[in-house]
Amino acid sequence: MSASIHLEEFDMENTKASLTHSHTFTKNQKWVIASTSSGFALENMDVLFLSFAMSSMIGQLHLSGGAAGLIGSITNLGMLFGGVIFGLVGDRFGRVKTFTYTIFIFAFATAMMAFANNITLIYILRFLAGIGAGGEYGVGISLIAESFHKNQIGKMTSVAAIGGQIGAILAAVTAALVIPTLGWHALFLLGIVPVVLTYFVRRHLTETTEFVQAKKAEKESTTSAVFKYMFSSPKLAYQSFALMIMTTVQIAGYFGLMNWLPIIVQKQLGLNVSGSSLWMIATIIGMSLGMMTFGSILDYFGPRRAFGIFLLASAAMVFTITLAHNTVSLLIIGAIVGFFSNGMFGGYGAVISRLYPTEIRSTANNVIVNIGRAVGGFSSVVIGILMDHYSLTVVMGFLSILYIISFVTMVTLPGLKKLSSRQTA
């Protein structure tokens, strides 16, 4: 039995379908989207505190470039480890409790950074923060997938992903206010704030009927189900690895562009990007608009068309960066590139949630996306090397090729053909 057919067996589809046509949301649905969006925002805020505090940490603790760079790598490894562990926990014991556990872990680990004065403790705390952050994603996405009709999932996961972008703005504003006056230690102390969210999640959210029914019908262990639905046949294994390739490209493009673009512009084009805050805001606005647009296209026309449009557009649009000749054009181009390159992010959770059954949904989301994070995060290193030896066109060509690879991979996925659009649902 295929995963997509398996999902259709639940009676909840009829209930969710009626909600779709009436364009109304239940109280629990509202709390699901509010809590997941807030959770992703606070998680991204905590993770990005590191980026804004890094220069201060290097100076105060006398860290070498290699030691400082390893902090981010260890965080990504923690995300992968946490994704696997809490994906299994979420599938075995429930989404709501697991969601609150992950929030508490990354909040506590971030706050403890306020007392870290040596690199060993920093490594430990960032690994723990990564565990919580990596575990949160799949559980939150599963809550959305099991609370909304299948033709709403793309838009709803995109709304949650926009929450992450809001977290980036919160991190930038908070860092600008706190670090100059109170120092980087105080910035991390604010990481405890997400713990408040766990209270509201526990009070207002309940497990979905779909999950409860799946647990009652369960006939095998969660680990056995993961192997069965993700790797037990060549077709399923290819599907899982192909999705990992696509998420790797997604993360590689994001980190490659966001970490290096301001430097690329200054070094290769000779522009002075003094308004870095304006650059970030313009890019995030572009990303958020892209996410909402992508989610709507995915829900209406299906994932093949949605990913096809955005992947091919990303492959072409990265070259427009070479056309930036002043700050205004850079802001516009940055927003356009962000629109396409990161607009797809929310769609991966929607697709994975529909390709894999309820009993392994959080594990599938966490494993696939966090492997993408762990591998794709190294794109910053590759782009740095390319910048040292080649022109800007070659650097953009590298990113363009990655998007083409993702497009070809997407086209070869037979499972995407079976995911119906709104018109055929």
Side-chain angles (χ1 to χ4, degrees):
M1 180 181 296
S2 68
S4 58
I5 294 175
H6 182 94
L7 293 178
E8 302 299 328
E9 294 177 349
F10 291 99
D11 293 334
M12 278 297 292
E13 287 296 338
N14 294 327
T15 303
K16 289 189 249 181
S18 64
L19 290 169
T20 299
H21 296 305
S22 65
H23 298 286
T24 59
F25 294 135
T26 66
K27 182 178 180 180
N28 196 62
Q29 285 177 316
K30 292 177 181 178
W31 272 107
V32 165
I33 199 63
S35 61
T36 52
S37 299
S38 300
F40 290 171
L42 294 170
E43 173 230 311
N44 204 33
M45 180 187 74
D46 280 14
V47 170
L48 287 178
F49 277 168
L50 179 64
S51 299
F52 293 105
M54 184 63 76
S55 60
S56 299
M57 293 169 61
I58 291 173
Q60 184 175 335
L61 301 179
H62 308 291
L63 303 178
S64 66
L70 191 57
I71 299 175
S73 299
I74 287 176
T75 304
N76 284 337
L77 289 175
M79 286 184 173
L80 178 56
F81 182 78
V84 174
I85 297 301
F86 282 106
L88 292 170
V89 171
D91 286 329
R92 177 68 179 87
F93 298 105
R95 321 299 196 198
V96 177
K97 289 182 179 180
T98 307
F99 191 65
T100 57
Y101 295 154
T102 60
I103 294 173
F104 181 83
I105 290 172
F106 76 68
F108 174 78
T110 300
M112 288 302 294
M113 284 283 290
F115 308 98
N117 287 305
N118 63 76
I119 191 62
T120 301
L121 184 55
I122 289 174
Y123 287 155
I124 293 172
L125 292 174
R126 293 314 296 174
F127 183 77
L128 288 175
I131 288 176
E136 182 196 31
Y137 175 80
V139 180
I141 291 295
S142 296
L143 272 171
I144 294 174
E146 291 157 15
S147 299
F148 294 88
H149 184 260
K150 63 183 180 181
N151 287 328
Q152 293 176 309
I153 296 175
K155 184 177 292 185
M156 293 301 105
T157 54
S158 292
V159 169
I162 290 172
Q165 303 307 310
I166 295 173
I169 296 177
L170 290 174
V173 172
T174 305
L177 294 174
V178 173
I179 293 178
T181 55
L182 301 176
W184 67 268
H185 284 93
L187 177 67
F188 284 104
L189 189 60
L190 294 175
I192 200 67
V193 171
V195 170
V196 178
L197 178 62
T198 63
Y199 168 78
F200 292 99
V201 171
R202 283 296 185 93
R203 181 175 180 181
H204 295 283
L205 285 186
T206 58
E207 296 296 343
T208 64
T209 303
E210 183 173 317
F211 176 79
V212 173
Q213 289 179 347
K215 295 307 295 181
K216 288 180 179 179
E218 187 177 67
K219 296 180 180 179
E220 57 191 340
S221 68
T222 302
T223 52
S224 297
V226 168
F227 176 78
K228 176 181 177 181
Y229 289 108
M230 292 188 72
F231 306 108
S232 63
S233 70
K235 181 179 178 180
L236 289 173
Y238 177 77
Q239 175 176 275
S240 298
F241 287 119
L243 288 168
M244 291 174 193
I245 291 173
M246 292 182 68
T247 56
T248 295
V249 171
Q250 175 66 37
I251 301 301
Y254 176 78
F255 280 110
L257 287 170
M258 296 307 107
N259 289 350
W260 281 107
L261 191 51
I263 298 174
I264 287 174
V265 171
Q266 293 180 59
K267 181 178 179 180
Q268 303 288 353
L269 303 182
L271 299 181
N272 180 17
V273 192
S274 56
S276 59
S277 59
L278 287 176
W279 147 256
M280 190 190 75
I281 291 173
T283 304
I284 289 176
I285 289 174
M287 289 178 178
S288 299
L289 292 174
M291 288 175 180
M292 287 306 301
T293 303
F294 182 89
S296 297
I297 294 174
L298 188 151
D299 286 339
Y300 194 86
F301 293 106
R304 283 170 61 86
R305 290 186 184 181
F307 278 108
I309 293 170
F310 274 66
L311 285 170
L312 292 178
S314 296
M317 289 299 171
V318 290
F319 289 105
T320 62
I321 293 171
T322 62
L323 303 177
H325 298 296
N326 53 57
T327 303
V328 174
S329 63
L330 173 64
L331 295 177
I332 295 173
I333 289 172
I336 293 173
V337 172
F339 179 95
F340 288 107
S341 66
N342 209 46
M344 298 174 280
F345 184 74
Y348 294 97
V351 167
I352 294 167
S353 294
R354 291 183 61 189
L355 287 176
Y356 296 94
T358 306
E359 53 261 48
I360 68 158
R361 186 171 288 139
S362 68
T363 304
N365 269 290
N366 273 346
V367 169
I368 291 170
V369 171
N370 283 306
I371 284 178
R373 282 174 172 169
V375 179
F378 286 101
S379 67
S380 295
V381 177
V382 176
I383 289 179
I385 294 172
L386 291 175
M387 283 181 59
D388 289 338
H389 298 91
Y390 301 99
S391 67
L392 177 59
T393 302
V394 172
V395 174
M396 294 301 105
F398 165 72
L399 289 173
S400 181
I401 290 172
L402 289 182
Y403 288 119
I404 294 297
I405 291 173
S406 184
F407 173 79
V408 173
T409 303
M410 181 274 296
V411 171
T412 64
L413 277 172
L416 295 188
K417 296 180 182 179
K418 299 178 182 179
L419 299 185
S420 59
S421 68
R422 180 182 298 273
Q423 292 175 328
T424 60

